[in-house]
Amino acid sequence: KIKTLQATGIPYHRIGILYRTKFCSLPFEKALRTMQIPYQMMGSRGFFERKEILDLNCYLTAAAFPKDDVAFDRVLNTPKRGIGPGTVKKIAASRTPGMSLQDAARKTVAERVMSPKIHKGLHTLLQALSDIRKMAPDAAIRHVITCVGYMDYLKQYGKNDKMDFITREENINQLLHTASRHRTLLGYLEEASLVKEDTEEGDEEESSSGVKLSTVHASKGLEYEVVFIAGCEENLFPHWKSLEFENDLQEERRLMYVAMTRAEKHLYITSAQYRKGQSNPRSRFLAELEHTL
């Protein structure tokens, strides 16, 4: 549909795809990349660039590629396990020619040259990486989350901001669903790296002239010739957190109005019958709109 619109003279940068929650961006990032349609993330990073996704993917990368020093360095102290820059330097200093940082850490653990706290933290991390090396991607992610207490870490990282935690948790749930569609770590990491590389290496001018991907919140004050509102399903838009109190539901309804009024000429509202393998009821907002027509 986007290519058809572009063929009628509507430029890509005048087309907006809006969604209620950030995790919804991933299918569009994949589809637009596959169709070679330029796009730009508005107000947030691409899915695979978000902190929680980078953290967990680096665990998988470090397990699949023990020579990847960048991935291993990221997970060394995430969550915090007392391994600061000074300790990393000590580990790195023990390397012999051709030895990776992870190999040096395993050497350090074997020689028991660190304090008991750091030794325990390193041992736990290295054991987790060994455990997940041959697991299916989604099982590996679940194992890491449990083994290192990652969700507790995210709560503290967000300073107990409940909505921040919910957003990151939704991103992780989407990550698990995406990972479950692959049988091996290598297959999954290949897809993740392709999306990530396209986001990082895309030409800045081309990106700015591409289709805009945005949450409804980040779209306030912006207008497009064409707007697609995606994910109009119960528990998604309106968001499940809003269903308990009427004031919260009214705020969701106002957000729907904001999303609709971003469109200058054409508005498309969509819902999925199935999401993550489960049947999804249409948003009550669609019935309300149909009732007014």
Side-chain angles (χ1 to χ4, degrees):
K1 186 66 180 179
I2 289 175
K3 285 200 169 183
T4 301
L5 290 167
Q6 200 251 357
T8 65
I10 299 175
Y12 285 139
H13 73 277
R14 297 293 289 139
I15 300 173
I17 300 177
L18 310 183
Y19 34 82
R20 173 62 179 82
T21 53
K22 288 182 178 180
F23 79 84
C24 292
S25 73
L26 181 57
F28 297 106
E29 291 179 63
K30 288 182 181 179
L32 293 172
R33 174 175 56 83
T34 299
M35 298 178 69
Q36 298 183 323
I37 295 175
Y39 65 91
Q40 181 182 17
M41 302 298 302
M42 305 294 291
S44 68
R45 296 184 175 187
F47 183 83
F48 287 108
E49 294 300 309
R50 294 164 193 166
K51 173 191 162 46
E52 58 279 7
I53 306 304
L54 277 172
D55 286 348
L56 294 171
N57 277 350
C58 277
Y59 271 95
L60 271 58
T61 301
F65 303 101
K67 299 294 184 184
D68 190 321
D69 286 354
V70 174
F72 185 69
D73 184 55
R74 184 181 181 100
V75 303
L76 255 176
N77 206 39
T78 306
K80 294 186 182 300
R81 46 178 67 91
I83 305 173
T87 302
V88 176
K89 286 183 179 179
K90 288 180 181 178
I91 295 172
S94 71
R95 289 196 285 191
T96 58
M99 181 179 283
S100 69
L101 186 61
Q102 185 176 156
D103 289 337
R106 293 186 183 278
K107 178 173 176 283
T108 299
V109 169
E111 294 174 351
R112 291 184 170 271
V113 294
M114 295 292 179
S115 68
K117 179 182 178 181
I118 293 176
H119 175 85
K120 181 180 179 181
L122 272 176
H123 181 270
T124 300
L125 167 63
L126 294 169
Q127 186 60 53
L129 296 181
S130 296
D131 289 343
I132 68 175
R133 191 160 292 149
K134 294 185 178 180
M135 288 184 182
D138 57 328
I141 294 170
R142 293 181 193 280
H143 184 79
V144 168
I145 289 171
T146 301
C147 183
V148 306
Y150 190 75
M151 302 311 288
D152 289 336
Y153 161 71
L154 273 188
K155 287 178 183 177
Q156 295 172 7
Y157 181 84
K159 298 178 181 178
N160 293 316
D161 181 332
K162 196 170 183 181
M163 283 311 300
D164 177 79
F165 176 75
I166 288 173
T167 297
R168 296 184 189 278
E169 186 178 37
E170 288 176 336
N171 285 338
I172 290 173
N173 287 335
Q174 179 65 47
L175 178 71
L176 286 165
H177 174 68
T178 301
S180 71
R181 304 177 74 173
H182 296 270
R183 301 172 70 178
T184 66
L185 291 187
L186 292 179
Y188 163 70
L189 290 171
E190 181 180 4
E191 179 192 49
S193 67
L194 283 174
V195 176
K196 183 171 177 287
E197 285 171 8
D198 275 9
T199 304
E200 289 178 338
E201 297 175 6
D203 181 80
E204 186 175 341
E205 184 177 343
E206 181 181 342
S207 176
S208 64
S209 64
V211 175
K212 309 306 180 190
L213 300 183
S214 174
T215 62
V216 178
H217 283 98
S219 72
K220 293 177 182 177
L222 302 174
E223 290 186 335
Y224 306 98
E225 284 191 54
V226 182
V227 166
F228 294 85
I229 306 176
C232 290
E233 302 139 34
E234 286 293 295
N235 298 312
L236 190 55
F237 200 4
H239 193 271
W240 61 271
K241 283 290 293 180
S242 71
L243 301 181
E244 188 174 354
F245 299 106
E246 182 60 30
N247 285 344
D248 293 338
L249 184 57
Q250 287 287 56
E251 176 62 18
E252 291 291 296
R253 190 172 280 108
R254 188 188 70 80
L255 273 178
M256 184 68 177
Y257 175 79
V258 167
M260 293 171 61
T261 53
R262 299 311 89 199
E264 294 176 345
K265 293 182 178 179
H266 306 285
L267 174 65
Y268 298 88
I269 302 176
T270 71
S271 63
Q273 288 185 319
Y274 293 89
R275 188 174 294 277
K276 299 178 184 176
Q278 296 182 336
S279 176
N280 258 9
R282 297 167 78 235
S283 169
R284 66 190 68 192
F285 299 153
L286 295 183
E288 291 172 6
L289 285 169
E290 289 165 354
H291 184 68
T292 64
L293 296 178

